[in-house]
Structures are given as C-alpha cells and as structure tokens.
Amino acid sequence: MRFLVALLSILPLSAVAHAAVPEQGGINLQDAATRIMERLHWFHNYLVAIITIITLFVLALIVWVCIKYNKRANPVARKFSHNTPIEIIWTVVPVLILVAIAGPSFSNLFYQENQPDLEAIAAADEDNPNIYPEAAEQGWITVKAQGNQWNWTYSFPDVLDDGGYPVEFVSNPLQRGLSSDNLDAARGPRNLAVDYPLVLPVNRYVRYQTAASDVIHSFTVPAFGIKTDAVPGRLNEGWFLIEREGTYYGQCSELCGKDHAFMPIEVRVVDQATYDTWIETLRSGDFDGAFDSIDQAQLANNSDRTSADTRLAQAE
C-alpha cells in the first residue's frame, strides 16, 4: 500500500496544478472555487432532493392507482365531478413547493448580482462565511473581458502602462478542434488551453466587466459559478473571489457564430506576489516574459507540493 501511495505521488498527474476541467462522462458540477459556486452546489443538491421526492411520489401514486383501480379490481368505476379537499391540496402543495424553490434561488441571485460593499465588510467583525474582511481591506481588482470573433481581450482599467493606457492583451485558443491543430496535451486540455491566459490573485475581490466588439458572447467559468453575456454597446459586470490557486477553464456560452465552440477561457489563479510580478512585467510590455513567469511560478509551486506529498507517502 505504501508503495502504491508513493508511486501515485510521482505520477505526472501529481505534478499538474489543480485544474477545473470538464471530465469525460462526468455528471456532476465542477468543483467550486468561489463562494458563489458553493451556494450553487448546495442549491443544485437541494433541487435534486425535491425533484427526487416528487418523482417517487408520483411514481408510487401511479402504481397504486394502476393496482387498486384497474378494471379487474374495480369493475364499476365511481363517478364524481369534484373533491374539495383534494383540489385544495393539489393547489396549495405546488405553491408551497415553488416558494421553497424560489426562496434560496432569489437569495443566490441577489448574492451573485450585487457587488459587496468592501468598506462595510472590512469594518465587519463577525464570523460570516460569505464575507472576507482581509480581502476587502485590499480593495477591488477590476478586469474587463471583451468577446471578439474568435478570442477574448482582457484589460485592467486600473493598471496603466507608460503611455497612460490600460494594460490589455488578446487571448487566443491553441486548438480549434481540427485534426491538424496542435494537440500537445502538456500545454493544456484540447479546445480549452490558450496562448495568453487571464491571471488573477487568490483571495481577492475581483470585479469583472464584459462587453463585445461584434456579436453577443458570454463570459462563463463553471468553477466560479459565473455566466454573464458580453453584449456590443453594453457593459455588464459581476464579481467573484477565488479561494484556491490553480488553473480554471471556461468557454463562451452564447451561440456567437461558426467558431463559437473554439472561444476558450483560461484563468490562472496565483498568489499575490506572483500576480504583482506578472502585472508589472505586462506594464513594461514584456508579454512573453510575463506569462513565462506564471508558468515557472506554478511549476515551482507544483514541485514543492509534489515533494511534500512524496515525503508524506514515504513517511507512511
């Protein structure tokens, strides 16, 4: 057993950073990286329980009626026009079910759609899992994701380069689903990896804005629990706070055109120091150097984690 654990710890999979990607044959939602997605996980499981109870109840009712009131067991059917108690029950019970569903649904929508007041959160002194006072003290990080045919332009309105313009770059897909495309699995999952990923710091409040330069796109990252339309001439926005470092993938979720399926979103979540180095290198105009620093930082982080796992396996 100890040998098996040690062997697993040195397999290539253990050297890969945490990545939220679709799983072949998977039927559940991706792991949550934000409080928003955790709430959606809970709501999903809550709805599954309600749906299961209703389905089993209706199935049992149908079976009971088929057995008790079939032609052989009940040759002479009773005739009646209405039953007041039953009519009250089948009117009131569905209303109560809808209220039970709408309550947490509206609560989640309010939490997701309304950006938190960071000054109030920073001053708060309460044990609430929905707020992050230490992150609130550091303020917002704002990033704009503009959808184009067929890539994304990311810009940071609060970070200006030497010319006084916001730092921005274009993120292109590495593959487009054709057999002749680059299928180097080491670079990232097929049809999800990009050349220049979006980089964000962990445990910071992030305000994202979306727009489009041509047709309607949708900025969607399942692990974050976000899906916001990018509409030409309109600026939509939302927020999230990522609680775990790693690589997260998403895609455009609007039918924006012939290459809609090849508009991936790759987000690298790193520690604050690595992010600061990356954004400063971007400001200097060294784009390749900036993204190489992210690769090296994540590789070093994974190596440290793998070494720790190997030592733990050997100790066991």
Side-chain angles (χ1 to χ4, degrees):
M1 182 64 184
R2 185 173 58 183
F3 172 77
L4 178 61
V5 174
L7 177 63
L8 292 175
S9 67
I10 60 176
L11 287 176
L13 286 176
S14 62
V16 177
H18 167 76
V21 295
E23 297 181 4
Q24 185 74 20
I27 59 174
N28 206 349
L29 303 174
Q30 290 187 18
D31 290 343
T34 65
R35 185 63 181 158
I36 293 173
M37 193 57 191
E38 289 179 3
R39 295 168 68 105
L40 295 183
H41 270 273
W42 179 90
F43 187 58
H44 168 266
N45 297 333
Y46 176 69
L47 286 184
V48 169
I50 293 178
I51 293 171
T52 302
I53 293 172
I54 293 175
T55 302
L56 293 177
F57 173 74
V58 173
L59 177 63
L61 195 61
I62 292 175
V63 172
W64 178 69
V65 169
C66 291
I67 295 175
K68 188 174 179 59
Y69 296 101
N70 60 50
K71 186 176 181 180
R72 181 182 302 175
N74 190 37
V76 181
R78 288 188 298 174
K79 298 180 180 179
F80 53 90
S81 61
H82 67 278
N83 185 302
T84 301
I86 290 180
E87 290 180 354
I88 294 175
I89 290 174
W90 74 37
T91 301
V92 173
V93 171
V95 171
L96 295 178
I97 293 174
L98 291 177
V99 171
I101 294 175
S105 175
F106 291 153
S107 175
N108 286 332
L109 284 174
F110 183 83
Y111 181 80
Q112 184 175 8
E113 296 295 329
N114 290 273
Q115 296 181 11
D117 183 347
L118 298 194
E119 293 184 1
I121 291 176
D125 185 17
E126 55 180 309
D127 185 15
N128 185 342
N130 289 315
I131 64 175
Y132 303 82
E134 294 182 357
E137 293 176 354
Q138 302 179 69
W140 289 102
I141 287 182
T142 303
V143 59
K144 179 183 177 183
Q146 176 171 291
N148 314 306
Q149 292 176 324
W150 314 94
N151 53 36
W152 294 92
T153 298
Y154 298 114
S155 59
F156 293 81
D158 298 331
V159 182
L160 306 181
D161 58 18
D162 294 339
Y165 296 99
V167 171
E168 69 176 23
F169 60 90
V170 178
S171 176
N172 291 291
L174 290 181
Q175 305 108 15
R176 288 184 179 274
L178 303 178
S179 58
S180 57
D181 283 344
N182 176 22
L183 300 180
D184 185 3
R187 179 61 184 81
R190 185 167 178 259
N191 288 336
L192 290 176
V194 301
D195 54 355
Y196 288 166
L198 174 63
V199 179
L200 294 171
V202 69
N203 289 324
R204 288 289 305 272
Y205 280 96
V206 177
R207 178 197 289 119
Y208 69 94
Q209 301 171 333
T210 66
S213 60
D214 35 52
V215 298
I216 299 178
H217 303 277
S218 183
F219 187 71
T220 304
V221 183
F224 298 171
I226 60 171
K227 179 179 181 298
T228 303
D229 279 351
V231 183
R234 180 184 177 89
L235 192 67
N236 292 328
E237 63 180 18
W239 73 279
F240 56 81
L241 183 149
I242 313 161
E243 301 176 85
R244 182 169 53 175
E245 295 182 33
T247 305
Y248 302 88
Y249 296 97
Q251 288 179 306
C252 174
S253 296
E254 282 288 355
L255 295 177
C256 52
K258 68 179 183 65
D259 282 346
H260 151 74
F262 311 127
M263 284 188 65
I265 299 165
E266 180 177 345
V267 184
R268 304 280 188 93
V269 180
V270 298
D271 59 83
Q272 184 67 48
T274 303
Y275 169 79
D276 291 340
T277 301
W278 174 78
I279 200 73
E280 287 301 322
T281 309
L282 273 188
R283 291 183 63 187
S284 68
D286 184 6
F287 286 73
D288 290 333
F291 290 98
D292 286 344
S293 70
I294 295 298
D295 291 336
Q296 293 171 4
Q298 289 193 314
L299 182 62
N301 188 23
N302 292 333
S303 298
D304 292 343
R305 189 177 305 161
T306 302
S307 299
D309 293 342
T310 303
R311 289 196 299 272
L312 177 61
Q314 292 172 341
E316 292 176 349

